[in-house]
PDB file of all heavy atoms in Angstrom:
ATOM      1  N   ILE A   4      -2.738  10.521  12.518  1.00  0.00           N
ATOM      2  CA  ILE A   4      -3.042  10.947  11.150  1.00  0.00           C
ATOM      3  C   ILE A   4      -4.259  11.860  11.151  1.00  0.00           C
ATOM      4  O   ILE A   4      -4.261  12.908  10.511  1.00  0.00           O
ATOM      5  CB  ILE A   4      -3.264   9.724  10.233  1.00  0.00           C
ATOM      6  CG1 ILE A   4      -1.954   8.960  10.057  1.00  0.00           C
ATOM      7  CG2 ILE A   4      -3.811  10.161   8.874  1.00  0.00           C
ATOM      8  CD1 ILE A   4      -2.115   7.645   9.336  1.00  0.00           C
ATOM      9  N   LEU A  12       4.044  10.697  14.106  1.00  0.00           N
ATOM     10  CA  LEU A  12       3.862   9.346  13.612  1.00  0.00           C
ATOM     11  C   LEU A  12       5.116   8.853  12.892  1.00  0.00           C
ATOM     12  O   LEU A  12       5.539   7.710  13.070  1.00  0.00           O
ATOM     13  CB  LEU A  12       2.656   9.279  12.683  1.00  0.00           C
ATOM     14  CG  LEU A  12       2.226   7.901  12.246  1.00  0.00           C
ATOM     15  CD1 LEU A  12       1.896   7.029  13.451  1.00  0.00           C
ATOM     16  CD2 LEU A  12       1.002   7.998  11.353  1.00  0.00           C
ATOM     17  N   CYS A  13       5.729   9.710  12.101  1.00  0.00           N
ATOM     18  CA  CYS A  13       6.954   9.324  11.386  1.00  0.00           C
ATOM     19  C   CYS A  13       8.073   8.998  12.370  1.00  0.00           C
ATOM     20  O   CYS A  13       8.779   8.010  12.201  1.00  0.00           O
ATOM     21  CB  CYS A  13       7.385  10.425  10.423  1.00  0.00           C
ATOM     22  SG  CYS A  13       6.279  10.608   9.010  1.00  0.00           S
ATOM     23  N   SER A  15       7.735   7.998  15.479  1.00  0.00           N
ATOM     24  CA  SER A  15       7.372   6.758  16.162  1.00  0.00           C
ATOM     25  C   SER A  15       7.658   5.554  15.284  1.00  0.00           C
ATOM     26  O   SER A  15       8.188   4.543  15.749  1.00  0.00           O
ATOM     27  CB  SER A  15       5.888   6.764  16.537  1.00  0.00           C
ATOM     28  OG  SER A  15       5.618   7.788  17.444  1.00  0.00           O
ATOM     29  N   ALA A  16       7.323   5.638  14.009  1.00  0.00           N
ATOM     30  CA  ALA A  16       7.578   4.535  13.077  1.00  0.00           C
ATOM     31  C   ALA A  16       9.071   4.295  12.927  1.00  0.00           C
ATOM     32  O   ALA A  16       9.526   3.152  12.917  1.00  0.00           O
ATOM     33  CB  ALA A  16       6.946   4.837  11.724  1.00  0.00           C
ATOM     34  N   GLU A  17       9.844   5.362  12.831  1.00  0.00           N
ATOM     35  CA  GLU A  17      11.292   5.215  12.703  1.00  0.00           C
ATOM     36  C   GLU A  17      11.888   4.574  13.952  1.00  0.00           C
ATOM     37  O   GLU A  17      12.773   3.721  13.868  1.00  0.00           O
ATOM     38  CB  GLU A  17      11.933   6.570  12.426  1.00  0.00           C
ATOM     39  CG  GLU A  17      11.630   7.085  11.034  1.00  0.00           C
ATOM     40  CD  GLU A  17      11.945   8.563  10.855  1.00  0.00           C
ATOM     41  OE1 GLU A  17      12.444   9.204  11.815  1.00  0.00           O
ATOM     42  OE2 GLU A  17      11.678   9.075   9.760  1.00  0.00           O
ATOM     43  N   LEU A  19      10.360   2.513  16.063  1.00  0.00           N
ATOM     44  CA  LEU A  19       9.967   1.108  16.090  1.00  0.00           C
ATOM     45  C   LEU A  19      10.753   0.321  15.054  1.00  0.00           C
ATOM     46  O   LEU A  19      11.161  -0.818  15.293  1.00  0.00           O
ATOM     47  CB  LEU A  19       8.466   0.961  15.858  1.00  0.00           C
ATOM     48  CG  LEU A  19       7.878  -0.407  16.136  1.00  0.00           C
ATOM     49  CD1 LEU A  19       8.239  -0.895  17.531  1.00  0.00           C
ATOM     50  CD2 LEU A  19       6.375  -0.374  15.988  1.00  0.00           C
ATOM     51  N   ASP A  20      11.003   0.922  13.915  1.00  0.00           N
ATOM     52  CA  ASP A  20      11.779   0.268  12.865  1.00  0.00           C
ATOM     53  C   ASP A  20      13.189  -0.030  13.362  1.00  0.00           C
ATOM     54  O   ASP A  20      13.757  -1.074  13.064  1.00  0.00           O
ATOM     55  CB  ASP A  20      11.824   1.147  11.614  1.00  0.00           C
ATOM     56  CG  ASP A  20      12.376   0.413  10.411  1.00  0.00           C
ATOM     57  OD1 ASP A  20      12.245  -0.830  10.345  1.00  0.00           O
ATOM     58  OD2 ASP A  20      12.944   1.077   9.527  1.00  0.00           O
ATOM     59  N   ALA A  21      13.727   0.869  14.165  1.00  0.00           N
ATOM     60  CA  ALA A  21      15.074   0.688  14.700  1.00  0.00           C
ATOM     61  C   ALA A  21      15.122  -0.290  15.866  1.00  0.00           C
ATOM     62  O   ALA A  21      16.195  -0.742  16.260  1.00  0.00           O
ATOM     63  CB  ALA A  21      15.646   2.034  15.146  1.00  0.00           C
ATOM     64  N   GLU A  27       8.568  -7.766  14.515  1.00  0.00           N
ATOM     65  CA  GLU A  27       8.322  -7.651  13.080  1.00  0.00           C
ATOM     66  C   GLU A  27       6.913  -7.174  12.745  1.00  0.00           C
ATOM     67  O   GLU A  27       6.745  -6.278  11.926  1.00  0.00           O
ATOM     68  CB  GLU A  27       8.585  -8.974  12.369  1.00  0.00           C
ATOM     69  CG  GLU A  27      10.031  -9.201  11.990  1.00  0.00           C
ATOM     70  CD  GLU A  27      10.607  -8.108  11.104  1.00  0.00           C
ATOM     71  OE1 GLU A  27      10.260  -8.044   9.913  1.00  0.00           O
ATOM     72  OE2 GLU A  27      11.398  -7.311  11.605  1.00  0.00           O
ATOM     73  N   ALA A  28       5.887  -7.776  13.339  1.00  0.00           N
ATOM     74  CA  ALA A  28       4.515  -7.379  13.019  1.00  0.00           C
ATOM     75  C   ALA A  28       4.288  -5.909  13.375  1.00  0.00           C
ATOM     76  O   ALA A  28       3.722  -5.156  12.579  1.00  0.00           O
ATOM     77  CB  ALA A  28       3.510  -8.269  13.745  1.00  0.00           C
ATOM     78  N   ASP A  29       4.746  -5.506  14.550  1.00  0.00           N
ATOM     79  CA  ASP A  29       4.590  -4.112  14.969  1.00  0.00           C
ATOM     80  C   ASP A  29       5.388  -3.174  14.071  1.00  0.00           C
ATOM     81  O   ASP A  29       4.925  -2.092  13.717  1.00  0.00           O
ATOM     82  CB  ASP A  29       5.040  -3.926  16.414  1.00  0.00           C
ATOM     83  CG  ASP A  29       4.139  -4.642  17.398  1.00  0.00           C
ATOM     84  OD1 ASP A  29       2.942  -4.804  17.102  1.00  0.00           O
ATOM     85  OD2 ASP A  29       4.637  -5.058  18.460  1.00  0.00           O
ATOM     86  N   ARG A  30       6.592  -3.592  13.710  1.00  0.00           N
ATOM     87  CA  ARG A  30       7.443  -2.769  12.845  1.00  0.00           C
ATOM     88  C   ARG A  30       6.793  -2.561  11.488  1.00  0.00           C
ATOM     89  O   ARG A  30       6.761  -1.449  10.958  1.00  0.00           O
ATOM     90  CB  ARG A  30       8.818  -3.422  12.684  1.00  0.00           C
ATOM     91  CG  ARG A  30       9.834  -2.545  11.954  1.00  0.00           C
ATOM     92  CD  ARG A  30      11.132  -3.284  11.710  1.00  0.00           C
ATOM     93  NE  ARG A  30      10.948  -4.408  10.812  1.00  0.00           N
ATOM     94  CZ  ARG A  30      10.798  -4.291   9.478  1.00  0.00           C
ATOM     95  NH1 ARG A  30      10.791  -3.103   8.921  1.00  0.00           N
ATOM     96  NH2 ARG A  30      10.647  -5.350   8.728  1.00  0.00           N
ATOM     97  N   ILE A  31       6.216  -3.613  10.933  1.00  0.00           N
ATOM     98  CA  ILE A  31       5.580  -3.516   9.618  1.00  0.00           C
ATOM     99  C   ILE A  31       4.323  -2.648   9.708  1.00  0.00           C
ATOM    100  O   ILE A  31       4.075  -1.813   8.830  1.00  0.00           O
ATOM    101  CB  ILE A  31       5.297  -4.918   9.051  1.00  0.00           C
ATOM    102  CG1 ILE A  31       6.625  -5.595   8.723  1.00  0.00           C
ATOM    103  CG2 ILE A  31       4.388  -4.843   7.830  1.00  0.00           C
ATOM    104  CD1 ILE A  31       6.543  -7.085   8.486  1.00  0.00           C
ATOM    105  N   GLU A  32       3.548  -2.818  10.758  1.00  0.00           N
ATOM    106  CA  GLU A  32       2.373  -1.960  10.939  1.00  0.00           C
ATOM    107  C   GLU A  32       2.796  -0.502  11.099  1.00  0.00           C
ATOM    108  O   GLU A  32       2.114   0.405  10.600  1.00  0.00           O
ATOM    109  CB  GLU A  32       1.542  -2.431  12.121  1.00  0.00           C
ATOM    110  CG  GLU A  32       0.811  -3.732  11.824  1.00  0.00           C
ATOM    111  CD  GLU A  32       0.065  -4.304  13.010  1.00  0.00           C
ATOM    112  OE1 GLU A  32      -0.070  -3.611  14.040  1.00  0.00           O
ATOM    113  OE2 GLU A  32      -0.377  -5.461  12.894  1.00  0.00           O
ATOM    114  N   ALA A  33       3.912  -0.264  11.770  1.00  0.00           N
ATOM    115  CA  ALA A  33       4.417   1.100  11.910  1.00  0.00           C
ATOM    116  C   ALA A  33       4.840   1.656  10.551  1.00  0.00           C
ATOM    117  O   ALA A  33       4.621   2.839  10.262  1.00  0.00           O
ATOM    118  CB  ALA A  33       5.590   1.140  12.888  1.00  0.00           C
ATOM    119  N   LEU A  34       5.425   0.809   9.709  1.00  0.00           N
ATOM    120  CA  LEU A  34       5.777   1.257   8.356  1.00  0.00           C
ATOM    121  C   LEU A  34       4.528   1.678   7.582  1.00  0.00           C
ATOM    122  O   LEU A  34       4.533   2.701   6.888  1.00  0.00           O
ATOM    123  CB  LEU A  34       6.493   0.143   7.585  1.00  0.00           C
ATOM    124  CG  LEU A  34       7.982  -0.039   7.823  1.00  0.00           C
ATOM    125  CD1 LEU A  34       8.486  -1.283   7.094  1.00  0.00           C
ATOM    126  CD2 LEU A  34       8.751   1.188   7.377  1.00  0.00           C
ATOM    127  N   VAL A  35       3.464   0.898   7.698  1.00  0.00           N
ATOM    128  CA  VAL A  35       2.211   1.252   7.009  1.00  0.00           C
ATOM    129  C   VAL A  35       1.700   2.597   7.535  1.00  0.00           C
ATOM    130  O   VAL A  35       1.304   3.466   6.750  1.00  0.00           O
ATOM    131  CB  VAL A  35       1.149   0.146   7.159  1.00  0.00           C
ATOM    132  CG1 VAL A  35      -0.209   0.610   6.657  1.00  0.00           C
ATOM    133  CG2 VAL A  35       1.585  -1.121   6.427  1.00  0.00           C
ATOM    134  N   MET A  36       1.707   2.778   8.851  1.00  0.00           N
ATOM    135  CA  MET A  36       1.249   4.049   9.422  1.00  0.00           C
ATOM    136  C   MET A  36       2.152   5.202   8.970  1.00  0.00           C
ATOM    137  O   MET A  36       1.672   6.306   8.707  1.00  0.00           O
ATOM    138  CB  MET A  36       1.221   3.974  10.952  1.00  0.00           C
ATOM    139  CG  MET A  36       0.190   3.017  11.503  1.00  0.00           C
ATOM    140  SD  MET A  36      -1.465   3.454  10.932  1.00  0.00           S
ATOM    141  CE  MET A  36      -2.133   1.839  10.685  1.00  0.00           C
ATOM    142  N   HIS A  37       3.442   4.930   8.866  1.00  0.00           N
ATOM    143  CA  HIS A  37       4.382   5.935   8.366  1.00  0.00           C
ATOM    144  C   HIS A  37       4.011   6.306   6.929  1.00  0.00           C
ATOM    145  O   HIS A  37       3.951   7.493   6.580  1.00  0.00           O
ATOM    146  CB  HIS A  37       5.798   5.368   8.451  1.00  0.00           C
ATOM    147  CG  HIS A  37       6.877   6.329   8.107  1.00  0.00           C
ATOM    148  ND1 HIS A  37       8.182   5.953   7.974  1.00  0.00           N
ATOM    149  CD2 HIS A  37       6.868   7.650   7.849  1.00  0.00           C
ATOM    150  CE1 HIS A  37       8.920   6.992   7.660  1.00  0.00           C
ATOM    151  NE2 HIS A  37       8.142   8.045   7.580  1.00  0.00           N
ATOM    152  N   GLY A  38       3.743   5.296   6.109  1.00  0.00           N
ATOM    153  CA  GLY A  38       3.326   5.553   4.732  1.00  0.00           C
ATOM    154  C   GLY A  38       2.048   6.371   4.666  1.00  0.00           C
ATOM    155  O   GLY A  38       1.915   7.282   3.844  1.00  0.00           O
ATOM    156  N   LEU A  39       1.094   6.054   5.549  1.00  0.00           N
ATOM    157  CA  LEU A  39      -0.161   6.810   5.578  1.00  0.00           C
ATOM    158  C   LEU A  39       0.081   8.275   5.962  1.00  0.00           C
ATOM    159  O   LEU A  39      -0.549   9.179   5.406  1.00  0.00           O
ATOM    160  CB  LEU A  39      -1.152   6.168   6.539  1.00  0.00           C
ATOM    161  CG  LEU A  39      -1.741   4.837   6.072  1.00  0.00           C
ATOM    162  CD1 LEU A  39      -2.535   4.180   7.192  1.00  0.00           C
ATOM    163  CD2 LEU A  39      -2.599   5.030   4.838  1.00  0.00           C
ATOM    164  N   ALA A  40       0.993   8.486   6.897  1.00  0.00           N
ATOM    165  CA  ALA A  40       1.313   9.864   7.308  1.00  0.00           C
ATOM    166  C   ALA A  40       1.939  10.627   6.148  1.00  0.00           C
ATOM    167  O   ALA A  40       1.569  11.784   5.882  1.00  0.00           O
ATOM    168  CB  ALA A  40       2.249   9.856   8.508  1.00  0.00           C
ATOM    169  N   ILE A  41       2.858   9.990   5.444  1.00  0.00           N
ATOM    170  CA  ILE A  41       3.503  10.636   4.302  1.00  0.00           C
ATOM    171  C   ILE A  41       2.461  10.928   3.217  1.00  0.00           C
ATOM    172  O   ILE A  41       2.424  12.006   2.634  1.00  0.00           O
ATOM    173  CB  ILE A  41       4.631   9.739   3.748  1.00  0.00           C
ATOM    174  CG1 ILE A  41       5.755   9.590   4.779  1.00  0.00           C
ATOM    175  CG2 ILE A  41       5.187  10.293   2.442  1.00  0.00           C
ATOM    176  CD1 ILE A  41       6.759   8.510   4.420  1.00  0.00           C
ATOM    177  N   PRO A  49       6.964   8.820  -2.243  1.00  0.00           N
ATOM    178  CA  PRO A  49       7.656   8.286  -1.067  1.00  0.00           C
ATOM    179  C   PRO A  49       6.777   7.349  -0.235  1.00  0.00           C
ATOM    180  O   PRO A  49       7.257   6.356   0.308  1.00  0.00           O
ATOM    181  CB  PRO A  49       8.040   9.536  -0.272  1.00  0.00           C
ATOM    182  CG  PRO A  49       8.139  10.616  -1.293  1.00  0.00           C
ATOM    183  CD  PRO A  49       7.064  10.288  -2.303  1.00  0.00           C
ATOM    184  N   ALA A  50       5.476   7.647  -0.148  1.00  0.00           N
ATOM    185  CA  ALA A  50       4.566   6.759   0.588  1.00  0.00           C
ATOM    186  C   ALA A  50       4.513   5.394  -0.085  1.00  0.00           C
ATOM    187  O   ALA A  50       4.538   4.363   0.590  1.00  0.00           O
ATOM    188  CB  ALA A  50       3.179   7.368   0.671  1.00  0.00           C
ATOM    189  N   ALA A  51       4.466   5.385  -1.408  1.00  0.00           N
ATOM    190  CA  ALA A  51       4.445   4.111  -2.147  1.00  0.00           C
ATOM    191  C   ALA A  51       5.688   3.299  -1.844  1.00  0.00           C
ATOM    192  O   ALA A  51       5.619   2.071  -1.692  1.00  0.00           O
ATOM    193  CB  ALA A  51       4.326   4.373  -3.648  1.00  0.00           C
ATOM    194  N   ASP A  52       6.834   3.964  -1.736  1.00  0.00           N
ATOM    195  CA  ASP A  52       8.080   3.257  -1.407  1.00  0.00           C
ATOM    196  C   ASP A  52       8.010   2.629  -0.018  1.00  0.00           C
ATOM    197  O   ASP A  52       8.461   1.500   0.188  1.00  0.00           O
ATOM    198  CB  ASP A  52       9.276   4.215  -1.473  1.00  0.00           C
ATOM    199  CG  ASP A  52       9.542   4.726  -2.886  1.00  0.00           C
ATOM    200  OD1 ASP A  52       9.087   4.086  -3.866  1.00  0.00           O
ATOM    201  OD2 ASP A  52      10.195   5.786  -3.001  1.00  0.00           O
ATOM    202  N   VAL A  53       7.438   3.349   0.942  1.00  0.00           N
ATOM    203  CA  VAL A  53       7.307   2.823   2.308  1.00  0.00           C
ATOM    204  C   VAL A  53       6.334   1.643   2.325  1.00  0.00           C
ATOM    205  O   VAL A  53       6.602   0.610   2.944  1.00  0.00           O
ATOM    206  CB  VAL A  53       6.857   3.933   3.287  1.00  0.00           C
ATOM    207  CG1 VAL A  53       6.527   3.353   4.658  1.00  0.00           C
ATOM    208  CG2 VAL A  53       7.938   4.994   3.407  1.00  0.00           C
ATOM    209  N   PHE A  54       5.209   1.782   1.629  1.00  0.00           N
ATOM    210  CA  PHE A  54       4.240   0.681   1.563  1.00  0.00           C
ATOM    211  C   PHE A  54       4.862  -0.554   0.912  1.00  0.00           C
ATOM    212  O   PHE A  54       4.649  -1.675   1.369  1.00  0.00           O
ATOM    213  CB  PHE A  54       2.980   1.083   0.786  1.00  0.00           C
ATOM    214  CG  PHE A  54       2.145   2.131   1.462  1.00  0.00           C
ATOM    215  CD1 PHE A  54       1.617   3.184   0.728  1.00  0.00           C
ATOM    216  CD2 PHE A  54       1.851   2.069   2.815  1.00  0.00           C
ATOM    217  CE1 PHE A  54       0.822   4.148   1.336  1.00  0.00           C
ATOM    218  CE2 PHE A  54       1.062   3.027   3.440  1.00  0.00           C
ATOM    219  CZ  PHE A  54       0.554   4.074   2.690  1.00  0.00           C
ATOM    220  N   ARG A  55       5.636  -0.344  -0.156  1.00  0.00           N
ATOM    221  CA  ARG A  55       6.286  -1.470  -0.848  1.00  0.00           C
ATOM    222  C   ARG A  55       7.254  -2.178   0.099  1.00  0.00           C
ATOM    223  O   ARG A  55       7.312  -3.402   0.131  1.00  0.00           O
ATOM    224  CB  ARG A  55       7.004  -0.976  -2.101  1.00  0.00           C
ATOM    225  CG  ARG A  55       7.873  -2.009  -2.786  1.00  0.00           C
ATOM    226  CD  ARG A  55       7.083  -3.114  -3.418  1.00  0.00           C
ATOM    227  NE  ARG A  55       6.375  -2.588  -4.563  1.00  0.00           N
ATOM    228  CZ  ARG A  55       5.671  -3.326  -5.385  1.00  0.00           C
ATOM    229  NH1 ARG A  55       5.576  -4.622  -5.200  1.00  0.00           N
ATOM    230  NH2 ARG A  55       5.036  -2.796  -6.387  1.00  0.00           N
ATOM    231  N   ARG A  56       7.994  -1.408   0.866  1.00  0.00           N
ATOM    232  CA  ARG A  56       8.915  -2.009   1.837  1.00  0.00           C
ATOM    233  C   ARG A  56       8.147  -2.839   2.865  1.00  0.00           C
ATOM    234  O   ARG A  56       8.545  -3.957   3.212  1.00  0.00           O
ATOM    235  CB  ARG A  56       9.729  -0.922   2.527  1.00  0.00           C
ATOM    236  CG  ARG A  56      10.710  -1.467   3.522  1.00  0.00           C
ATOM    237  CD  ARG A  56      11.607  -0.375   4.066  1.00  0.00           C
ATOM    238  NE  ARG A  56      12.211  -0.839   5.295  1.00  0.00           N
ATOM    239  CZ  ARG A  56      12.507  -0.065   6.313  1.00  0.00           C
ATOM    240  NH1 ARG A  56      12.277   1.223   6.253  1.00  0.00           N
ATOM    241  NH2 ARG A  56      13.043  -0.574   7.387  1.00  0.00           N
ATOM    242  N   ALA A  57       7.027  -2.298   3.354  1.00  0.00           N
ATOM    243  CA  ALA A  57       6.197  -3.031   4.327  1.00  0.00           C
ATOM    244  C   ALA A  57       5.655  -4.312   3.694  1.00  0.00           C
ATOM    245  O   ALA A  57       5.647  -5.372   4.331  1.00  0.00           O
ATOM    246  CB  ALA A  57       5.053  -2.142   4.824  1.00  0.00           C
ATOM    247  N   TRP A  58       5.209  -4.244   2.440  1.00  0.00           N
ATOM    248  CA  TRP A  58       4.689  -5.411   1.714  1.00  0.00           C
ATOM    249  C   TRP A  58       5.783  -6.478   1.593  1.00  0.00           C
ATOM    250  O   TRP A  58       5.564  -7.642   1.914  1.00  0.00           O
ATOM    251  CB  TRP A  58       4.186  -4.949   0.354  1.00  0.00           C
ATOM    252  CG  TRP A  58       3.968  -5.992  -0.691  1.00  0.00           C
ATOM    253  CD1 TRP A  58       4.692  -6.135  -1.843  1.00  0.00           C
ATOM    254  CD2 TRP A  58       2.973  -7.017  -0.735  1.00  0.00           C
ATOM    255  NE1 TRP A  58       4.198  -7.181  -2.587  1.00  0.00           N
ATOM    256  CE2 TRP A  58       3.144  -7.743  -1.929  1.00  0.00           C
ATOM    257  CE3 TRP A  58       1.958  -7.396   0.133  1.00  0.00           C
ATOM    258  CZ2 TRP A  58       2.344  -8.820  -2.286  1.00  0.00           C
ATOM    259  CZ3 TRP A  58       1.152  -8.475  -0.230  1.00  0.00           C
ATOM    260  CH2 TRP A  58       1.346  -9.166  -1.420  1.00  0.00           C
ATOM    261  N   ASP A  59       6.948  -6.067   1.138  1.00  0.00           N
ATOM    262  CA  ASP A  59       8.056  -7.016   0.981  1.00  0.00           C
ATOM    263  C   ASP A  59       8.458  -7.634   2.318  1.00  0.00           C
ATOM    264  O   ASP A  59       8.661  -8.842   2.415  1.00  0.00           O
ATOM    265  CB  ASP A  59       9.270  -6.332   0.342  1.00  0.00           C
ATOM    266  CG  ASP A  59       9.033  -5.953  -1.118  1.00  0.00           C
ATOM    267  OD1 ASP A  59       8.113  -6.513  -1.761  1.00  0.00           O
ATOM    268  OD2 ASP A  59       9.773  -5.075  -1.617  1.00  0.00           O
ATOM    269  N   ASP A  60       8.561  -6.803   3.352  1.00  0.00           N
ATOM    270  CA  ASP A  60       8.956  -7.295   4.677  1.00  0.00           C
ATOM    271  C   ASP A  60       7.914  -8.248   5.257  1.00  0.00           C
ATOM    272  O   ASP A  60       8.257  -9.262   5.870  1.00  0.00           O
ATOM    273  CB  ASP A  60       9.186  -6.134   5.649  1.00  0.00           C
ATOM    274  CG  ASP A  60      10.436  -5.326   5.339  1.00  0.00           C
ATOM    275  OD1 ASP A  60      11.192  -5.696   4.410  1.00  0.00           O
ATOM    276  OD2 ASP A  60      10.658  -4.302   6.020  1.00  0.00           O
ATOM    277  N   ALA A  61       6.635  -7.933   5.078  1.00  0.00           N
ATOM    278  CA  ALA A  61       5.563  -8.786   5.618  1.00  0.00           C
ATOM    279  C   ALA A  61       5.565 -10.150   4.934  1.00  0.00           C
ATOM    280  O   ALA A  61       5.377 -11.181   5.586  1.00  0.00           O
ATOM    281  CB  ALA A  61       4.208  -8.104   5.458  1.00  0.00           C
ATOM    282  N   ARG A  63       8.182 -11.568   3.477  1.00  0.00           N
ATOM    283  CA  ARG A  63       9.422 -12.243   3.884  1.00  0.00           C
ATOM    284  C   ARG A  63       9.282 -12.834   5.294  1.00  0.00           C
ATOM    285  O   ARG A  63       9.760 -13.926   5.563  1.00  0.00           O
ATOM    286  CB  ARG A  63      10.590 -11.252   3.818  1.00  0.00           C
ATOM    287  CG  ARG A  63      11.947 -11.870   3.969  1.00  0.00           C
ATOM    288  CD  ARG A  63      13.115 -10.900   3.749  1.00  0.00           C
ATOM    289  NE  ARG A  63      12.846  -9.481   3.804  1.00  0.00           N
ATOM    290  CZ  ARG A  63      12.633  -8.692   2.741  1.00  0.00           C
ATOM    291  NH1 ARG A  63      12.627  -9.191   1.533  1.00  0.00           N
ATOM    292  NH2 ARG A  63      12.410  -7.393   2.886  1.00  0.00           N
ATOM    293  N   THR A  72      -2.605  -5.844   4.519  1.00  0.00           N
ATOM    294  CA  THR A  72      -2.712  -4.402   4.750  1.00  0.00           C
ATOM    295  C   THR A  72      -1.701  -3.634   3.904  1.00  0.00           C
ATOM    296  O   THR A  72      -2.052  -2.687   3.198  1.00  0.00           O
ATOM    297  CB  THR A  72      -2.506  -4.071   6.240  1.00  0.00           C
ATOM    298  OG1 THR A  72      -3.504  -4.732   7.012  1.00  0.00           O
ATOM    299  CG2 THR A  72      -2.584  -2.574   6.491  1.00  0.00           C
ATOM    300  N   ALA A  73      -0.443  -4.040   3.969  1.00  0.00           N
ATOM    301  CA  ALA A  73       0.611  -3.351   3.210  1.00  0.00           C
ATOM    302  C   ALA A  73       0.387  -3.495   1.709  1.00  0.00           C
ATOM    303  O   ALA A  73       0.600  -2.540   0.948  1.00  0.00           O
ATOM    304  CB  ALA A  73       1.982  -3.894   3.605  1.00  0.00           C
ATOM    305  N   TRP A  76      -2.317  -1.050   0.482  1.00  0.00           N
ATOM    306  CA  TRP A  76      -1.840   0.327   0.352  1.00  0.00           C
ATOM    307  C   TRP A  76      -0.814   0.472  -0.760  1.00  0.00           C
ATOM    308  O   TRP A  76      -0.746   1.516  -1.413  1.00  0.00           O
ATOM    309  CB  TRP A  76      -1.307   0.843   1.687  1.00  0.00           C
ATOM    310  CG  TRP A  76      -2.438   1.183   2.602  1.00  0.00           C
ATOM    311  CD1 TRP A  76      -2.837   0.505   3.719  1.00  0.00           C
ATOM    312  CD2 TRP A  76      -3.363   2.256   2.444  1.00  0.00           C
ATOM    313  NE1 TRP A  76      -3.956   1.100   4.253  1.00  0.00           N
ATOM    314  CE2 TRP A  76      -4.302   2.172   3.500  1.00  0.00           C
ATOM    315  CE3 TRP A  76      -3.502   3.277   1.505  1.00  0.00           C
ATOM    316  CZ2 TRP A  76      -5.338   3.083   3.649  1.00  0.00           C
ATOM    317  CZ3 TRP A  76      -4.554   4.181   1.652  1.00  0.00           C
ATOM    318  CH2 TRP A  76      -5.449   4.081   2.721  1.00  0.00           C
TER     319      TRP A  76
END
Side-chain angles (χ1 to χ4, degrees):
I4 293 172
L12 188 58
C13 290
S15 297
E17 289 165 2
L19 192 53
D20 191 28
E27 275 303 287
D29 293 331
R30 188 185 65 76
I31 292 165
E32 288 175 10
L34 278 174
V35 170
M36 293 302 142
H37 186 188
L39 289 171
I41 295 169
D52 294 340
V53 172
F54 293 137
R55 172 69 70 175
R56 181 173 162 213
W58 163 247
D59 291 341
D60 289 356
R63 190 174 17 263
T72 300
W76 284 108

